Amino acid sequence: MPEGDTVLQTATRLHAALAGQVLTRSDLRVPRFATADLTGRTVLDVTARGKHLLTRIEGGLTLHSHLRMDGAWRVFSPDERWRGGPGHQIRAILGNTEHTAVGYRLPVLELLRTDEEDRAVGHLGPDLLGPDWDPGLALDRLLAAPDRPLGEALLDQRNLAGIGNVYKCELCFLARVTPWLPVGALPDGVLPRLVALAERLLHANRDRPTRTTTITSELRTPPNRGLARSTAPDTGHPRPRHRVQERLFVYGRARRPCLRCGTPIRLADQDDRPTYWCPGCQSGPTP
């Protein structure tokens, strides 16, 4: 599933292609809105809110979409062949004289009044990449359920909006705790620094073509102010240096050696999502 930084990049591309332009083509291929015609209206802006996309259109309308696992928006020039999937997977087409935006496999697509956007995104917590970012509120919401596993709490968009499964695994690794550790069991001071690091990582990746979390040496806080130190014993494994091509610490690296301690990375499901962790570096309960 695309995460907050990827969705923001999509919003930026759509905004550049559509904002300020009059729609000359409009086709919403979902039964409820199949007869809606937006041609002749100007696109005002395209905004990301967590993992949601809001395309605001003249006349007080907003086209709300969510990519979930497989959805994608592609932008094409007039003479460019559309790529993104077969025609039957197209759910939306918005075009002007210079660009056409095509939405493939969009599981959520609805047209609503702009003044009713809260009906679609009002449940979200503070957006890590948005102007409403409030680390104190995010922290309060995470701490409201101290018995909840950290990984599940980080993924709950009602707590803070924008973290997906990749960041969940990477942030737990950087905190040196497993995703199954209850939020309330984190050592003192770790959760506020983890929330701050989440915001800094998403901002660091918002303009990158490929996400990375191994840039944390660039983001490191002063000595003794970092995340929790590992309480796991020394495994005796060599501690390999980071390689340039390694962009993530644990996600997608099952059975490969940990970049910090050399222990093979493990994989299990948490709430039906593949979850990666290092048993040498991360302390806490495991499946």
Side-chain angles (χ1 to χ4, degrees):
M1 179 182 292
E3 313 204 11
D5 49 3
T6 303
V7 175
L8 180 63
Q9 291 175 9
T10 300
T12 300
R13 288 195 300 271
L14 290 173
H15 183 87
L18 300 177
Q21 301 291 324
V22 176
L23 291 173
T24 57
R25 184 172 183 181
S26 163
D27 187 358
L28 305 183
R29 298 182 181 179
V30 294
R32 184 180 175 190
F33 302 104
T35 60
D37 185 6
L38 302 174
T39 56
R41 298 175 185 257
T42 300
V43 175
L44 304 178
D45 67 78
V46 183
T47 299
R49 179 74 172 85
K51 301 180 186 181
H52 298 251
L53 286 163
L54 302 171
T55 302
R56 299 183 178 116
I57 301 166
E58 180 186 17
L61 296 175
T62 294
L63 185 65
H64 166 231
S65 58
H66 195 296
L67 306 180
R68 288 192 182 165
M69 293 297 294
D70 300 316
W73 279 97
R74 310 286 188 193
V75 176
F76 305 102
S77 57
D79 58 349
E80 192 175 0
R81 183 172 177 269
W82 293 3
R83 306 173 310 279
H88 70 266
Q89 293 183 349
I90 294 174
R91 297 292 176 266
I93 302 172
L94 298 176
N96 54 47
T97 57
E98 298 181 5
H99 298 97
T100 300
V102 183
Y104 290 89
R105 300 172 299 278
L106 300 175
V108 176
L109 185 70
E110 61 174 341
L111 192 62
L112 58 142
R113 302 292 306 179
T114 300
D115 58 11
E116 295 178 352
E117 285 180 358
D118 274 358
R119 183 163 57 83
V121 297
H123 66 286
L124 298 176
D127 187 342
L128 285 150
L129 291 173
D132 68 319
W133 172 239
D134 183 341
L137 178 58
L139 188 62
D140 288 344
R141 293 192 176 188
L142 288 167
L143 290 171
D147 295 332
R148 193 175 189 185
L150 176 62
E152 293 181 14
L154 290 174
L155 282 180
D156 190 335
Q157 303 299 294
R158 296 170 298 182
N159 292 331
L160 63 174
I163 291 178
N165 204 40
V166 176
Y167 279 118
K168 176 200 81 172
C169 296
E170 295 292 297
L171 286 165
C172 289
F173 173 81
L174 292 167
R176 299 190 182 226
V177 297
T178 68
W180 293 271
L181 185 75
V183 171
L186 283 166
D188 289 344
V190 170
L191 191 59
R193 294 196 291 275
L194 187 62
V195 168
L197 181 58
E199 189 261 348
R200 294 165 75 186
L201 278 176
L202 264 74
H203 272 278
N205 282 298
R206 60 182 294 174
D207 298 319
R208 292 175 182 264
T210 305
R211 181 184 298 118
T212 178
T213 59
T214 57
I215 57 170
T216 48
S217 58
E218 304 170 21
L219 305 175
R220 195 160 293 156
T221 47
N224 300 321
R225 295 289 295 169
L227 296 180
R229 297 180 60 84
S230 173
T231 57
D234 188 345
T235 63
H237 291 284
R239 299 179 180 270
R241 299 180 64 182
H242 296 172
R243 298 175 182 175
V244 173
Q245 67 268 30
E246 297 289 3
R247 296 185 175 275
L248 300 173
F249 284 106
V250 292
Y251 190 87
R253 302 189 69 253
R255 296 180 296 279
R256 295 171 62 189
C258 173
L259 298 177
R260 181 186 283 152
C261 74
T263 303
I265 300 300
R266 295 190 61 188
L267 168 66
D269 280 348
Q270 182 181 37
D271 197 23
D272 295 325
R273 296 172 185 263
T275 299
Y276 301 82
W277 82 98
C278 171
C281 291
Q282 295 171 252
S283 61
T286 58

